[in-house]
């Protein structure tokens, strides 16, 4: 397989992976198994708050690559359901910090457990060496993707 074929194969695999990851149907099955009723974006917010601790809304939006308005709507819904709470920042009372409630952490743990169990089951057929190599290469790929500027020109195919 030449370099162009490799890039095409990687692009096709990424398209399939991204479609699967963004699939509402796939996430709905995971959430049902976990007994959770939150959306996929809400789960992403819960995970980020757990990892980074109480966060201002703007920082939460930035860290999750979500639109600030969508983040505010999701946080509002999570707050109404008792999964997060907002409290004034000790540094600036005009800023609200979003933090997990015990209920929010419990639903996050259940969803994470279902997803981890599924991934572990899938990867159980892989050797430990393959799993380690994949982890290193995938992390490298994600880091390089984030660090690489988009360049190129669009060719006019109508000419």
């Amino acid at each position: 397989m030449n370099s162009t074929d490799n890039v095409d194969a990687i692009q096709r695999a990424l398209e399939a992976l991204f479609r699967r990851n963004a699939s509402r149907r796939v996430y709905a099955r995971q959430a049902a198994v976990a007994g959770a009723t939150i959306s996929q974006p809400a789960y992403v917010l819960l995970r980020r708050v757990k990892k980074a601790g109480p966060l201002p809304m703007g920082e939460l939006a930035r860290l999750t690559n979500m639109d600030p308005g969508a983040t505010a709507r999701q946080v509002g819904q999570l707050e109404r359901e008792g999964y997060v709470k907002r409290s004034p920042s000790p540094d600036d009372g005009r800023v609200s910090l979003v933090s997990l409630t015990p209920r929010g952490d419990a639903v996050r743990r259940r969803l994470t457990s279902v997803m981890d169990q599924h991934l572990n089951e899938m990867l159980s057929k892989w050797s430990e060496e393959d799993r380690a190599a994949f982890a290193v290469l995938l992390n490298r790929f994600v880091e390089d993707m984030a660090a690489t500027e988009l360049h190129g020109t669009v060719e006019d195919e109508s000419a």
Side-chain angles (χ1 to χ4, degrees), residues 34-118:
T37 58
I38 64 170
S39 69
Q40 190 171 25
Y43 171 68
V44 169
L45 293 172
L46 293 180
R47 278 190 14 229
R48 178 51 66 177
V49 171
K50 176 64 177 181
K51 180 177 182 181
L55 290 168
M57 190 77 70
E59 182 70 1
L60 182 56
R62 186 186 70 74
L63 290 171
T64 56
N65 295 311
M66 290 176 73
D67 174 78
T71 301
R73 286 188 296 278
Q74 288 289 332
V75 167
Q77 182 65 35
L78 287 168
E79 188 174 35
R80 285 188 293 280
E81 294 175 3
Y83 296 131
V84 299
K85 65 178 180 176
R86 289 187 247 197
S87 54
S89 167
D91 300 328
D92 183 349
R94 298 170 296 172
V95 174
S96 290
L97 298 178
V98 179
S99 59
L100 279 180
T101 64
R103 184 174 185 212
D105 196 35
V107 76
R108 180 205 57 80
R109 279 194 322 271
R110 288 196 317 266
L111 274 161
T112 299
S113 176
V114 166
M115 292 174 186
D116 287 354
Q117 184 176 353
H118 181 252

Side-chain angles (χ1 to χ4, degrees), residues 22-36:
S23 169
R24 289 182 181 169
R25 187 175 65 230
V26 169
Y27 175 78
R29 283 196 310 258
Q30 293 167 334
V33 170

Side-chain angles (χ1 to χ4, degrees), residues 15 18 112:
E15 287 168 1
F18 294 154
T112 299

